[in-house]
Amino acid sequence: MPDVYNWQLGRRMSYPFEERHPDRQFAFVFNINRCIACQTCSMACKSTWTWSRGQEFMWWNNVETKPYGGYPHGWDSKLLAMLEDVNPGGQTWGYQDDKEHEWPYGSFEGLTIFEAAERRRLEPQSSRALGYLPSEAEWRAPNMHEEVAHGPVKKQGDRPGSVELPEHRVWYFYLQRICNHCTYPGCLSACPRQAIYKRPEDGVVLIDQSRCRGYRKCVEACPYKKSMYRPTTRTSEKCIACYPRLEGRDQAAITPDGTPVETRCMSACVGKIRMQGLVKIDAEGKWQKESEHPLYYLIRERKIALPLYPQFGTEPNGFYIPPRWVPRKYLEQMFGPGVKDAIEQYSCPDRELLAVLQLFRATQRVLFRFEVEKGPKVGEVEVTMPDGRKKTQVIFNDTARGFDAKGEEVARVTIEEPTWTLPAEHLNSI
Amino acid sequence: MSEHPKDRPAEPEDPFKMFAGGVEGDPGLMLDCLVEEYSRMGYDADDLIALFDNPEFLATHGLRNLFGPEETRERVQAVLARCGVLRVTVTALPPENPFPCHGS
């Protein structure tokens, strides 16, 4: 297999095809800290793209509860176990602080899904990535039993013969998932028909429906299980990054001038957790330095948004701001060793980071640049740090401005001031 | 008399069985963090309590069921007393029509 460079692992790795990169890459940041599991994104996607016969169990966007759930059931724990089986005890991260190397999170010393397939000498040759084909049952009933701590509490005896079900008294968080439009897609590597391709203009990964014969090798090879089989057409389908909106060609969208608009799942988000963008890629596959691009700033400069399971080796282009309340070991397995630093920065954001975070979902247009206009200090607040201690955060009257592909200002968010409401018993105390 | 469903062993192909286990953590910290997040976006106590009361929002409503409505309200108010509510002004330029299919 040829050698390709994976910047998330900070090293070269095996991949079935030669390295080739798009001019820009579709990428996104999901802020897990804000998700309240309303599933509006899932329904926005479903009602747009997967409402037809044969797509009943097909959720290009899904939100699953961790640590209990997954769609399909157990997708990540199964693949992690398979990798551990191929390389027992070796799936570890090494050095983190080494200025001589370019690894952003640390050096990954284990095997990617492509390297594990090589070591195991998988047959047939189309099995170029370690993976598995989920059963039909595993695709069914997403979110079922993921957490039961919701809805009206029913007690034993509320209805004849009823029993009281246990509720989790432990933490959980929600993981929002769409196709990661990976730089080195597992699905693309495995397709025996070469029906899967990555668009040179935006890096979106698509399945050519006229070439697909439904062999399901992509379903097997995608480590995130975001390629799905449709029995009525006998082809596989996947998230298309709402490319008509990305191209500014969606007539129902808000930009008749053709500037890119966010995908359906992003623009419907109630909790304002999502931001997408198109980042510039150079010929070597590295992100071109764009400090004023909100995604470059969050992902490459501040490193507060991290890739999901970077150790799989596909270089996913979806990034997550990890939740502050979750035990670190669990998060490190999921997002790599950059978790500690990301959460530390995010818990008490400085003025520039706070301003950029306010731009999430301020507009439906895709942002290409931001500016922060600095204002005077307006107050101090106390925030919770990852270890539970409190820290003082200084608030400034700053304004974050967002600009679209044509350089037009399309969003402006001003932080006015922190305010406090007096408790009722003190209302007349002045 | 047939076996009660709850006593039957899980069937291997049962799609409803649990796959992953719980891990110890602190739901109180989760509640504090969620309140801080939304207060940064300008949500005040009433807005936040509405999030916790609404069963459609599983994360917040799950915490309300765990702590009970009274303790949840007290916890929300305690966090807001500490970190306040960040007043922000969001302006889309030009103003966006959220329903473009239905005219301007």
Side-chain angles (χ1 to χ4, degrees), chain B residues 10-30:
Chain B
E11 297 165 22
E13 71 277 17
D14 179 6
F16 301 128
K17 71 180 175 185
M18 291 271 284
F19 262 82
V23 182
E24 288 305 315
D26 181 4
L29 182 61
M30 179 182 179

Side-chain angles (χ1 to χ4, degrees), chain A residues 223-349:
Chain A
Y224 303 99
K225 296 292 167 251
K226 278 296 171 189
S227 190
M228 297 157 197
Y229 180 67
R230 181 173 176 181
T232 50
T233 57
R234 295 183 183 177
T235 57
S236 294
E237 297 179 1
K238 63 177 285 301
C239 159
I240 58 170
C242 291
Y243 69 78
R245 292 170 70 86
L246 202 57
E247 294 168 355
R249 289 194 297 109
D250 182 359
Q251 293 182 350
I254 54 163
T255 56
D257 59 352
T259 50
V261 185
E262 290 191 325
T263 62
R264 293 282 290 124
C265 61
M266 313 242 179
S267 60
C269 180
V270 170
K272 298 186 176 185
I273 79 157
R274 299 181 177 220
M275 180 184 274
Q276 76 170 74
L278 289 161
V279 293
K280 278 186 192 165
I281 306 292
D282 68 18
E284 292 175 354
K286 292 178 182 166
W287 288 29
Q288 283 186 34
K289 190 171 169 62
E290 294 180 283
S291 299
E292 70 285 359
H293 192 296
L295 290 197
Y296 186 92
Y297 177 79
L298 295 170
I299 296 163
R300 301 307 306 269
E301 203 147 297
R302 301 300 295 264
K303 295 177 193 165
I304 67 157
L306 306 169
L308 178 64
Y309 292 115
Q311 65 266 41
F312 291 164
T314 60
E315 206 183 284
N317 289 300
F319 298 84
Y320 295 81
I321 302 179
R324 289 190 278 162
W325 59 84
V326 175
R328 295 296 169 274
K329 287 211 164 179
Y330 188 83
L331 290 179
E332 278 168 8
Q333 185 185 45
M334 194 170 265
F335 301 111
V339 165
K340 184 171 177 282
D341 184 48
I343 293 184
E344 191 76 23
Q345 286 192 72
Y346 180 77
S347 298
C348 188

Side-chain angles (χ1 to χ4, degrees), chain B residues 25-73:
Chain B
D26 181 4
L29 182 61
M30 179 182 179
L31 190 148
D32 286 4
C33 290
L34 278 169
V35 173
E36 276 183 18
E37 287 297 327
Y38 279 80
S39 72
R40 277 181 195 169
M41 291 195 283
Y43 280 60
D44 64 16
D46 289 342
D47 298 334
L48 278 159
I49 297 296
L51 280 189
F52 282 90
D53 284 346
N54 190 334
E56 300 297 334
F57 302 138
L58 300 184
T60 42
H61 196 67
L63 288 164
R64 177 188 180 273
N65 281 350
L66 183 66
F67 290 111
E70 277 311 306
E71 191 179 341
T72 301
R73 179 176 288 273

Side-chain angles (χ1 to χ4, degrees), chain A residues 34 67 149 346 363 384 416 419, chain B residues 20 36-38 62 85 89 96:
Chain A
R34 290 182 183 174
Y346 180 77
T363 173
T384 310
E416 305 288 355
T419 57
Chain B
E36 276 183 18
E37 287 297 327
Y38 279 80
V85 176
T89 307
E96 288 177 354

Side-chain angles (χ1 to χ4, degrees), chain A residues 146-194:
Chain A
E146 286 193 353
E147 90 287 294
V148 290
H150 63 84
V153 178
K154 298 286 185 201
K155 298 289 180 200
Q156 187 165 5
D158 274 359
R159 291 181 183 174
S162 66
V163 296
E164 189 173 342
L165 292 170
E167 287 194 8
H168 306 305
R169 287 192 63 88
V170 291
W171 59 272
Y172 44 81
F173 69 94
Y174 296 94
L175 188 68
Q176 314 74 30
R177 299 205 304 116
I178 62 173
C179 170
N180 288 299
H181 297 278
C182 303
T183 305
Y184 305 112
C187 60
L188 186 152
S189 76
C191 180
R193 295 275 303 166
Q194 299 195 359

Side-chain angles (χ1 to χ4, degrees), chain A residues 68-96:
Chain A
Y68 311 113
Y71 169 74
H73 290 311
W75 64 274
D76 50 352
S77 46
K78 277 193 177 181
L79 188 55
L80 288 169
M82 289 173 77
L83 283 164
E84 186 65 28
D85 188 43
V86 178
N87 186 25
Q91 295 296 98
T92 55
W93 290 84
Y95 302 106
Q96 290 177 38

Side-chain angles (χ1 to χ4, degrees), chain A residues 6 49-50 86 108-109 132 134 137 188 233 236 272 310 316 330 345-346 350 376 389 409:
Chain A
N6 183 324
W49 299 113
T50 60
V86 178
F108 181 58
E109 292 165 350
Y132 74 99
L188 186 152
T233 57
S236 294
K272 298 186 176 185
Y330 188 83
Q345 286 192 72
Y346 180 77
D350 59 35
R389 74 195 146 90
E409 184 179 355

